[in-house]
């Protein structure tokens, strides 16, 4: 009888431990939830990766087989600005491309025009210089002089540039980037994407480049 009671007590203890470990906020439950989230992220990324990775690159690919890091950016976002040197350094060290996708946030008055300026500069073959001008622009308290910014980025035909800013093709490109962001569940900037996962915030730069380094 005593052995039976001991066995029942042990089963009760094991059952309690199992419940504690497997519940959503328990260690095993949290691990399972994290794995599910990772697999879901990877599934979403795989569906759009070929399109996602075709954007303009800040560092030309050394090897077309090397997966880039994709960054969703808002040029008026302080976090994007502060993390830019870290992204540039990591890309240079890894000799890995950083593909830029635009995700201007509604809380920033001039983020969308800045994204349009970057897209139009890309059309003129001046994306990298425009990116550097925008990511280092310090005064966002008033609308930037987009023509002056374009000239400083090396764009000479400012009439074509000015027309491009509000063109249908620029609007389509911006919508394409937003659709990609929606498909991946991007909600803020900077957000980094590799075939291995989605990394939110400036503190995730190293994790994103490690993930890209593991992908082929």
């Amino acid at each position: 009888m005593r052995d039976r009671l001991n066995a029942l007590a042990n089963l009760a203890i094991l059952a309690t431990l199992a419940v504690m470990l497997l519940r959503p906020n328990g260690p095993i439950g949290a691990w399972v939830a994290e794995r599910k989230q990772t697999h879901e992220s990877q599934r979403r990324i795989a569906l759009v990766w070929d399109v996602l990775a075709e954007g303009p690159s800040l560092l030309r690919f050394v090897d077309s087989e090397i997966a880039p890091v994709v960054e969703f950016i808002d040029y008026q976002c302080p976090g994007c600005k502060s993390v830019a040197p870290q992204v540039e350094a990591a890309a240079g060290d890894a000799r890995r491309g950083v593909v830029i996708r635009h995700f201007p946030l509604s809380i920033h008055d001039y983020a969308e025009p800045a994204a349009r300026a970057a897209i139009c500069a890309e059309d003129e073959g001046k994306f990298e210089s425009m990116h550097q001008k925008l990511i280092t622009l310090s005064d966002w308290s008033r609308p930037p002089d987009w023509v002056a910014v374009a000239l400083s980025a090396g764009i000479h035909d400012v009439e074509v540039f000015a027309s491009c800013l509000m063109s249908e093709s620029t609007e389509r490109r911006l919508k394409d980037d937003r659709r990609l962001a929606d498909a991946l569940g991007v909600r803020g900037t900077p957000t980094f994407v590799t075939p291995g996962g989605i990394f939110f915030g400036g503190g995730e730069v190293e994790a994103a480049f490690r993930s890209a380094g593991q992908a082929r």
Side-chain angles (χ1 to χ4, degrees), residues 106-125:
S106 60
I107 60 173
H108 294 143
D109 294 336
Y110 312 120
E112 183 173 319
R116 291 175 180 273
I119 291 169
C120 292
E122 180 187 348
D123 290 345
E124 298 297 315

Side-chain angles (χ1 to χ4, degrees), residues 26 29 48 52 67 71 123 131-132 144 173-174 201 209:
V48 299
L52 185 69
E71 180 181 2
D123 290 345
H131 172 85
Q132 290 301 323
R173 169 61 191 283
L174 193 52
F209 274 87

Side-chain angles (χ1 to χ4, degrees), residues 84-113:
Q86 187 180 355
V87 172
E88 185 176 348
D93 290 343
R95 298 296 296 167
R96 187 176 303 281
V98 178
V99 170
I100 296 298
R101 289 290 179 178
H102 304 289
F103 191 62
L105 303 176
S106 60
I107 60 173
H108 294 143
D109 294 336
Y110 312 120
E112 183 173 319

Side-chain angles (χ1 to χ4, degrees), residues 57-73:
S57 174
L58 297 180
L59 181 66
R60 302 303 172 190
F61 301 154
V62 177
D63 181 347
S64 62
E65 296 297 318
I66 295 178
V69 171
V70 178
E71 180 181 2
F72 281 90
I73 201 168

Side-chain angles (χ1 to χ4, degrees), residues 2-204:
R2 180 176 297 175
D3 290 343
R4 185 179 179 184
L5 290 174
N6 287 337
L8 289 173
N10 289 335
L11 284 174
I13 292 170
L14 290 173
T16 301
L17 287 172
V19 169
M20 293 176 64
L21 291 171
L22 293 172
R23 64 186 179 183
N25 60 346
I28 295 178
W31 179 83
V32 171
E34 182 180 354
R35 294 299 299 170
K36 285 183 178 180
Q37 184 177 12
T38 298
H39 289 155
E40 175 60 19
S41 294
Q42 291 173 342
R43 184 190 69 80
R44 290 184 180 187
I45 293 166
L47 289 173
V48 299
W49 180 256
D50 288 345
V51 174
L52 185 69
E54 286 180 353
S57 174
L58 297 180
L59 181 66
R60 302 303 172 190
F61 301 154
V62 177
D63 181 347
S64 62
E65 296 297 318
I66 295 178
V69 171
V70 178
E71 180 181 2
F72 281 90
I73 201 168
D74 171 325
Y75 285 110
Q76 199 177 342
C77 163
C80 295
K81 179 182 177 67
S82 65
V83 82
Q86 187 180 355
V87 172
E88 185 176 348
D93 290 343
R95 298 296 296 167
R96 187 176 303 281
V98 178
V99 170
I100 296 298
R101 289 290 179 178
H102 304 289
F103 191 62
L105 303 176
S106 60
I107 60 173
H108 294 143
D109 294 336
Y110 312 120
E112 183 173 319
R116 291 175 180 273
I119 291 169
C120 292
E122 180 187 348
D123 290 345
E124 298 297 315
K126 297 293 184 179
F127 172 75
E128 291 188 46
S129 57
M130 177 61 81
H131 172 85
Q132 290 301 323
K133 294 295 180 183
L134 293 173
I135 203 65
T136 57
L137 192 62
S138 58
D139 184 9
W140 292 96
S141 61
R142 56 186 175 181
D145 182 342
W146 299 115
V147 170
V149 175
L151 287 170
S152 68
I155 297 172
H156 302 296
D157 196 335
V158 292
E159 289 186 6
V160 170
F161 175 81
S163 176
C164 174
L165 289 175
M166 299 306 297
S167 70
E168 290 185 7
S169 62
T170 300
E171 178 66 20
R172 284 196 300 271
R173 169 61 191 283
L174 193 52
K175 285 182 177 179
D176 287 343
D177 280 9
R178 283 174 166 150
R179 277 194 287 265
L180 286 168
D182 288 342
L184 295 169
V186 174
R187 294 292 178 266
T189 56
T191 293
F192 304 94
V193 184
T194 76
I198 302 173
F199 305 86
F200 300 96
E204 295 275 59

